[in-house]
Amino acid sequence: NAGVTQTPKFQVLKTGQSMTLQCAQDMNHEYMSWYRQDPGMGLRLIHYSVGAGITDQGEVPNGYNVSRSTTEDFPLRLLSAAPSQTSVYFCASSYGGIYEQFFGPGTRLTVL
Amino acid sequence: KNEVEQSPQNLTAQEGEFITINCSYSVGISALHWLQQHPGGGIVSLFMLSSGKKKHGRLIATINIQEKHSSLHITASHPRDSAVYICAVHHYGGSQGNLIFGKGTKLSVKP
């Protein structure tokens, strides 16, 4: 099993550009989440999904879009990148909050 | 006030020392997770607790539900234990997949 995979590992964008961060898991997990990690802030939830076709907003959803057309994939779209979105992004999956959490390797995004 | 507080924020130890990292939370929980993040690396799950104590190798995690407190202990610490340790809770009644995270404890173990 590959676990949770994320691409790309690194990305530099200019302000106003759009892009999609990819996340996939092969463990048949229903729950998938996107977090951002900023210095001194801890991990903050952006969007999450409890199954294919179902998504909802987390703590910091502005400027991001998600969709979940399959159980395996949960892409995160930045609509119009801003310097405030410079961060490390982690995708995670699990069977639920009371089960082991699996994290992807992260994507380090810089917006100039 | 953060719902999950960790202490200390930073910790430096000598190789071989016994280490304790604390986590206090203010919400009702279904489960508490301890995670490890190496510098520049991904995040790995160490323990998931809903009561009592768990042990894996040199790592021990305990939880006191009544006091809303958990501790992560490392016995005979080693430089390879240097990492950020993150406490996260699943809020009872919250959305099933989501966790509330502490800000992490950065541990450095010197040889």
Side-chain angles (χ1 to χ4, degrees), chain B:
Chain B
K1 184 183 184 300
N2 293 331
E3 292 163 309
V4 179
E5 297 272 4
Q6 287 185 237
S7 64
Q9 281 188 301
N10 294 283
L11 181 57
T12 300
Q14 287 298 126
E15 183 173 357
E17 286 184 357
F18 180 84
I19 288 161
T20 296
I21 298 170
N22 296 298
C23 176
S24 296
Y25 52 91
S26 58
V27 296
I29 69 168
S30 304
L32 182 142
H33 300 259
W34 281 103
L35 310 166
Q36 181 192 55
Q37 184 175 26
H38 280 285
I43 301 169
V44 175
S45 176
L46 296 175
F47 295 103
M48 193 282 293
L49 294 161
S50 54
S51 64
K53 176 178 173 178
K54 286 190 176 180
K55 184 174 189 291
H56 185 253
R58 295 180 295 106
L59 301 178
I60 303 166
T62 64
I63 188 168
N64 185 317
I65 296 292
Q66 286 73 30
E67 295 187 3
K68 295 187 174 180
H69 182 268
S70 175
S71 293
L72 176 68
H73 304 287
I74 304 175
T75 62
S77 59
H78 190 275
R80 65 175 175 265
D81 297 325
S82 297
V84 176
Y85 292 84
I86 302 169
C87 172
V89 302
H90 179 244
H91 182 190
Y92 183 77
S95 176
Q96 277 296 309
N98 301 332
L99 305 179
I100 306 170
F101 293 83
K103 294 183 179 180
T105 294
K106 185 175 182 181
L107 171 66
S108 177
V109 182
K110 305 293 186 190

